[in-house]
Amino acid sequence: MNQEYIKADEWSIIEEGFNEENVKSSESLFSIGNGAMGQRANFEEHYSGPTFQGSYIAGVYYPDKTRVGWWKNGYPEYFAKVLNAPNWIGINIFVDGEALDLNTCTNIKGFRRELNMKEGWYKRTFTATLPNSITINVEAVRFLSLDYDEVGAIKYTVTPINRNASLRFIPYLDNGITNEDSNWDDKFWNVTKVSSDGRQAFIEAHTLKTNFEVCTFMECRLTSNGNEIPVEVSEEVKELWVGHEYEYSAKEGEAVTFFKYGGYTVSRDHKADELVSAAKNVLKSAIALGFDNLLEKQKTFWAGIWEMSDIGIQGDVKAQQGIRFNIFHLNQTYLGTDSSLNIGPKGFTGEKYGGSTYWDTEAYCIPFYMATKDHLVARNLLKYRYNHLEKAIENAQKLGFDNGAALYPMVTMNGEECHNEWEITFEEIHRNGAIAFAIFNYYRFTGDYSYIPEMGLEVLIGISRFWGQRATFSKDKNKFVILGVTGPNEYENNVNNNWYTNYLAKWCMEYTMEQLVKVKEGYKDDYTRIIGHTSLTEAEVDKWKEISANLYFPYSEELQIYLQQDGFLDKELITVADLDVAQRPINQKWSWDRILRSPYIKQADTLQGFYLFEDHFSIEELERHFDFYEPFTVHESSLSPCVHSIQAAKLGRMEQAYKFYLRTSRLDLDDYNKEVEEGLHITSMAGTWMSIVEGFGGMRMKDDKLSFAPRIPKQWKSYSFKVNFRDRIIKVNVSESQTSFQYHGTDDMTIRVNGKRVVLKPSMETVEPNS
């Protein structure tokens, strides 16, 4: 049974009624972020019940020493982990000396949370009776500023309901925090100074090993009826903690509001010895504006984001809520201003997967950022990989490759591999291909070729060198083969000739050779520089040509399909439909041995290749492969439903496409995988966007032009989205009978709609019937 306590709403995530069993899940679902930092939706006041505390700073991590039972040569020495950062949101509340703690309160009424996605704020309200019989009403609003991304703001209002009461607010900073996923219970932080200065407080600390310097800061105000209350502030300073105390005698029915401003200044952005002064400056700016003005600026900033990235759905509130939830969290996680940052699978919502960079970015996220932002945002994601090229070469060297062969890491923070499961670290080498494909995809969509001669060609050469060395010649098959790999389907390990991996390898080498010719002809200075730097020889290129022309692909003549890998048909081919539902999810119910021997597919594997390279195959080939592989797919990866939704839509199977869309868009809201309390699935959220724009909207690149083949689920009245194609904005609105295009540009633009050439005129609407 999926969770159903989240209320359907087009623009907000809403929870009504307090249920302690939902606390950790809601801490994930109501998380907030601003690209520079983020936090789970933990209560500001103390909560003694089960909770997963989490605050995170972009780019700040710790190399947690690898812990395995049997060390294998080539293992990464550590797993880089996003750190649980010092907590700045805490405000202990005492009412006539009794601590406010929802775990000990009685008669909790009107509990409501709202994450307003349209305006970018989080609000919680409730009425509760404390053990001392005093009833209070609480309203807490907080947000992380997008305009001033080092600061967040909290407005916490307490109203005594049944009698006068003494209220004590103790805002604090706490550096005594740990990661739930620590391998060795290491100490991650070292505090160098805890200080208090009037209404301001600071904790200066640095991470061990990585030496990120961080100043956590706060400043507060106490008000009633809009007027600041002049109270004496007492302080308490401990080794890892600093708190202030504000006390006020409130009358029955008097709303007392406490404002807290806090956040982080980090050595990634400032000189280490200037972090406190930088904190003072940002506090000065925030407090001069005040909470309400900061919030108005927040609303304006989010209005600008939604103006370009919103997808509107009419007639299906849950579908609408789902896509906006996905778009909202993608924008909270990454705004594209810093090429040293990337998109972790959990973003700022949890610790799982280390908060690091995976191939998800290139395969799923770049299309979203290309189409909804300036192209420089996606370019920064590609620059991130170029900046890590030397580390990718080092990673390959550790596994025995040479001559500049590059193996990009499966998981990384700084370019070094830090994933320590052997079947992932050593074998899931298809990630190299996703990076090469992203280079191709970026140029194909944006038209910005400059990345390739400036940076991308060197990346492609390193990747192709890896494939050239990883492939071996089989005398038996008289073909080149790639042995001992894991494809995207991680329920298969150490297989030979994974079709997806082999196909990517062939394509990568061919694409690299094409770009060598193009750069040589059009960018001679860059070509000379690149050849000089890489020492690439004609003999190497000839070898790539030989391998790519003679690579082996397992194929069934009887079924007329490519096999996921050698021996796939040897399995007991029982479909998911015939699998006892009590055995699901198999990753929680079965032994790994049993999973590996089964035909069940975690996520799109062969079909992932058909998604990336759909122009290489006919619609009949796609249909055969979809009909064979989808029935064996358990979709126990967050990255799976979106690919299947896109392909089902292309095949005209709209009911199936819609089902997959709901699963990807509401994966976390409905907790399909029973793990939302660990954090959200941020990178797969980009796949949700793809399932509408590429799936239902049918957007593709054809002959260097945008092409659309719109379809609409029967559950929807209409839907709309915008894309930024080469600095030209197109709004697409699809109804059951027609599709309209509103174009904002300076010159006429030619697109294709259902194969027909259509000319869009600036600032005019063009309407085409749906086929």
Side-chain angles (χ1 to χ4, degrees):
M1 185 74 174
N2 296 328
Q3 67 184 20
E4 295 178 351
Y5 70 88
I6 299 299
K7 306 299 178 185
D9 185 275
E10 291 188 348
W11 276 109
S12 290
I13 307 303
I14 298 169
E15 173 187 5
E16 294 178 344
F18 180 70
N19 183 340
E20 61 184 15
E21 293 182 0
N22 295 336
V23 168
K24 292 172 77 172
S25 294
S26 291
E27 287 172 342
S28 296
L29 293 170
F30 291 82
S31 296
I32 56 176
N34 65 1
M37 61 175 167
Q39 56 197 209
R40 291 170 60 80
N42 307 127
F43 299 157
E44 291 86 358
E45 75 278 0
H46 175 69
Y47 181 66
S48 60
T51 177
F52 177 6
Q53 297 292 303
S55 298
Y56 310 101
I57 304 170
V60 174
Y61 67 95
Y62 176 85
D64 203 10
K65 185 179 177 182
T66 297
R67 184 169 193 158
V68 293
W70 176 22
W71 187 271
K72 297 178 178 65
N73 192 31
Y75 262 147
E77 295 182 5
Y78 65 88
F79 194 110
K81 289 181 176 174
V82 63
L83 287 188
N84 203 341
N87 172 18
W88 67 261
I89 70 167
I91 310 172
N92 289 334
I93 311 292
F94 293 88
V95 183
D96 275 0
E98 187 79 54
L100 171 59
D101 177 355
L102 284 177
N103 197 45
T104 62
C105 286
T106 60
N107 199 27
I108 300 171
K109 293 182 178 179
F111 182 92
R112 186 179 190 272
R113 297 187 203 236
E114 179 181 0
L115 180 62
N116 187 299
M117 300 180 290
K118 187 174 186 179
E119 299 179 346
W121 50 261
Y122 164 58
K123 181 178 181 180
R124 186 168 52 99
T125 56
F126 60 88
T127 300
T129 302
L130 280 67
N132 62 6
S133 300
I134 297 180
T135 300
I136 59 172
N137 184 73
V138 172
E139 178 180 286
V141 181
R142 82 174 182 249
F143 62 92
L144 299 181
S145 174
L146 293 174
D147 293 276
Y148 302 89
D149 64 8
E150 293 172 317
V151 71
I154 300 171
K155 179 181 181 181
Y156 198 104
T157 303
V158 179
T159 307
I161 298 298
N162 58 343
R163 64 174 190 249
N164 298 344
S166 171
L167 302 180
R168 247 191 319 147
F169 298 84
I170 303 179
Y172 62 86
L173 307 175
D174 181 15
N175 212 121
I177 38 81
T178 59
N179 269 48
E180 288 199 359
D181 67 348
S182 172
N183 284 342
W184 301 91
D185 295 326
D186 281 2
K187 180 183 177 184
F188 292 161
W189 292 92
N190 184 52
V191 174
T192 54
K193 187 176 182 181
V194 180
S195 59
S196 176
D197 182 7
R199 287 177 293 189
Q200 296 181 339
F202 310 93
I203 295 181
E204 297 168 71
H206 63 266
T207 60
L208 297 175
K209 297 186 181 180
T210 45
N211 291 312
F212 292 105
E213 301 275 352
V214 175
C215 174
T216 308
F217 59 83
M218 71 173 183
E219 184 170 344
C220 304
R221 297 286 188 275
L222 182 64
T223 68
S224 175
N225 297 317
N227 299 312
E228 186 171 346
I229 301 170
V231 297
E232 278 204 31
V233 179
S234 59
E235 64 182 42
E236 183 177 4
V237 179
K238 303 178 185 178
E239 182 183 4
L240 304 175
W241 188 95
V242 56
H244 290 165
E245 183 174 314
Y246 295 71
E247 189 164 2
Y248 177 71
S249 295
K251 295 182 172 62
E252 179 182 333
E254 181 182 4
V256 180
T257 300
F258 192 79
F259 293 97
K260 183 174 186 181
Y261 304 87
Y264 310 102
T265 48
V266 186
S267 58
R268 294 181 71 256
D269 306 309
H270 304 278
K271 294 179 180 178
D273 60 354
E274 296 177 358
L275 294 181
V276 172
S277 60
K280 285 179 176 289
N281 287 336
V282 74
L283 282 170
K284 182 179 179 180
S285 298
I287 289 170
L289 280 168
F291 185 92
D292 292 341
N293 288 328
L294 266 179
L295 182 56
E296 285 305 310
K297 291 177 75 68
Q298 182 84 343
K299 293 174 182 178
T300 300
F301 201 119
W302 271 106
I305 290 174
W306 286 114
E307 174 64 27
M308 187 61 225
S309 64
D310 188 29
I311 292 180
I313 298 172
Q314 288 69 49
D316 189 340
V317 175
K318 283 198 167 186
Q320 177 67 88
Q321 183 182 41
I323 186 59
R324 283 184 174 145
F325 181 70
N326 286 244
I327 293 170
F328 178 73
H329 277 289
L330 284 163
N331 279 288
Q332 287 202 125
T333 303
Y334 183 79
L335 290 168
T337 56
D338 187 344
S339 64
S340 70
L341 298 177
N342 211 280
I343 307 153
K346 292 293 182 190
F348 298 120
T349 71
E351 299 164 10
K352 194 174 181 181
Y353 306 123
S356 308
T357 304
Y358 284 62
W359 67 287
D360 306 17
T361 292
E362 284 75 25
Y364 297 88
C365 297
I366 277 183
F368 168 80
Y369 289 101
M370 283 194 304
T372 65
K373 308 284 185 191
D374 184 279
H375 76 279
L376 294 177
V377 172
R379 201 179 201 274
N380 271 343
L381 290 171
L382 295 179
K383 185 179 179 183
Y384 175 92
R385 294 297 192 180
Y386 173 74
N387 291 341
H388 289 170
L389 177 58
E390 291 306 314
K391 289 288 187 182
I393 292 171
E394 288 179 22
N395 292 333
Q397 287 173 340
K398 291 174 184 177
L399 300 183
F401 299 89
D402 58 18
N403 192 37
L407 176 59
Y408 277 90
M410 186 65 181
V411 180
T412 193
M413 280 288 194
N414 66 353
E416 290 180 278
E417 176 65 78
C418 64
H419 197 289
N420 48 33
E421 295 177 38
W422 66 268
E423 68 274 12
I424 306 298
T425 308
F426 303 149
E427 295 185 351
E428 204 161 334
I429 55 177
H430 65 82
R431 70 244 193 185
N432 252 14
I435 292 165
F437 185 85
I439 294 171
F440 157 77
N441 204 18
Y442 172 78
Y443 168 58
R444 175 174 67 170
F445 188 84
T446 67
D448 172 24
Y449 191 75
S450 67
Y451 174 80
I452 292 178
E454 287 177 23
M455 293 177 265
L457 184 55
E458 290 180 65
V459 173
L460 292 171
I461 289 169
I463 288 172
S464 290
R465 280 174 158 166
F466 173 81
W467 292 126
Q469 294 178 38
R470 189 61 167 79
T472 54
F473 187 75
S474 166
K475 288 185 178 180
D476 178 65
K477 292 182 170 61
N478 198 31
K479 292 279 188 179
F480 286 92
V481 296
I482 299 179
L483 309 177
V485 304
T486 297
N489 173 26
E490 292 171 345
Y491 290 174
E492 295 275 12
N493 301 153
N494 199 29
V495 300
N496 294 335
N497 296 309
N498 171 257
W499 180 83
Y500 174 72
T501 303
N502 285 18
Y503 202 87
L504 267 177
K506 172 184 171 68
W507 177 85
C508 284
M509 289 182 281
E510 291 173 344
Y511 185 66
T512 303
M513 290 186 285
E514 290 173 11
Q515 300 318 302
L516 281 166
V517 172
K518 190 168 182 177
V519 172
K520 184 178 182 179
E521 292 176 349
Y523 304 82
K524 292 182 179 179
D525 289 345
D526 286 303
Y527 182 81
T528 300
R529 170 182 56 82
I530 291 166
I531 297 302
H533 181 67
T534 61
S535 300
L536 182 68
T537 66
E538 288 187 19
E540 282 185 271
V541 177
D542 288 342
K543 187 66 175 178
W544 299 345
K545 197 175 299 181
E546 180 188 7
I547 294 171
S548 61
N550 295 282
L551 204 55
Y552 170 72
F553 299 103
Y555 188 78
S556 168
E557 293 290 348
E558 178 185 354
L559 298 173
Q560 295 285 289
I561 60 166
Y562 291 103
L563 300 180
Q564 184 175 274
Q565 72 269 339
D566 285 349
F568 187 83
L569 294 181
D570 293 334
K571 293 174 175 290
E572 189 177 9
L573 298 176
I574 300 172
T575 65
V576 175
D578 294 320
L579 180 63
D580 184 352
V581 293
Q583 299 294 305
R584 303 284 306 279
I586 63 172
N587 62 12
Q588 297 176 23
K589 301 294 180 68
W590 285 12
S591 70
W592 195 244
D593 165 73
R594 187 178 180 188
I595 289 174
L596 293 177
R597 289 185 287 107
S598 80
Y600 301 121
I601 300 169
K602 181 182 180 186
Q603 68 189 79
D605 190 303
T606 305
L607 293 178
Q608 181 78 24
F610 272 72
Y611 163 67
L612 293 182
F613 302 109
E614 68 171 12
D615 289 345
H616 299 190
F617 306 99
S618 68
I619 191 75
E620 292 77 17
E621 286 176 298
L622 170 61
E623 189 167 34
R624 281 200 304 274
H625 286 78
F626 188 89
D627 286 344
F628 180 78
Y629 284 109
E630 197 286 321
F632 296 112
T633 306
V634 289
H635 302 290
E636 289 173 9
S637 164
S638 64
L639 301 174
S640 190
C642 61
V643 171
H644 288 82
S645 180
I646 294 167
Q647 291 172 328
K650 182 175 181 178
L651 293 170
R653 303 176 184 182
M654 292 304 294
E655 196 58 36
Q656 198 173 19
Y658 175 75
K659 184 182 93 171
F660 284 129
Y661 164 76
L662 276 188
R663 176 151 183 171
T664 185
S665 69
R666 298 189 63 87
L667 178 74
D668 293 314
L669 289 174
D670 293 339
D671 198 12
Y672 276 97
N673 290 349
K674 308 303 177 194
E675 59 182 12
V676 75
E677 65 181 39
E678 298 175 347
L680 306 179
H681 295 84
I682 301 298
T683 48
S684 73
M685 290 177 171
T688 301
W689 178 90
M690 286 159 41
S691 69
I692 292 182
V693 175
E694 297 181 12
F696 301 149
M699 188 182 81
R700 301 290 191 276
M701 286 296 302
K702 303 280 188 183
D703 301 323
D704 203 38
K705 291 182 171 55
L706 275 185
S707 172
F708 297 90
R711 298 173 174 85
I712 185 168
K714 67 180 182 182
Q715 293 85 353
W716 300 357
K717 293 179 181 177
S718 64
Y719 65 95
S720 61
F721 59 88
K722 283 184 179 179
V723 292
N724 178 358
F725 179 69
R726 303 179 183 178
D727 296 324
R728 293 175 289 183
I729 309 299
I730 303 167
K731 183 174 183 179
V732 182
N733 192 300
V734 183
S735 68
E736 185 177 350
S737 60
Q738 64 183 32
T739 299
S740 66
F741 299 88
Q742 292 176 307
Y743 166 52
H744 299 280
T746 55
D747 303 314
D748 289 359
M749 178 181 177
T750 301
I751 63 172
R752 289 196 173 274
V753 183
N754 294 318
K756 173 187 171 185
R757 181 176 179 271
V758 174
V759 178
L760 304 182
K761 301 285 186 180
S763 302
M764 292 181 61
E765 182 178 52
T766 303
V767 179
E768 289 293 318
N770 291 341
S771 60

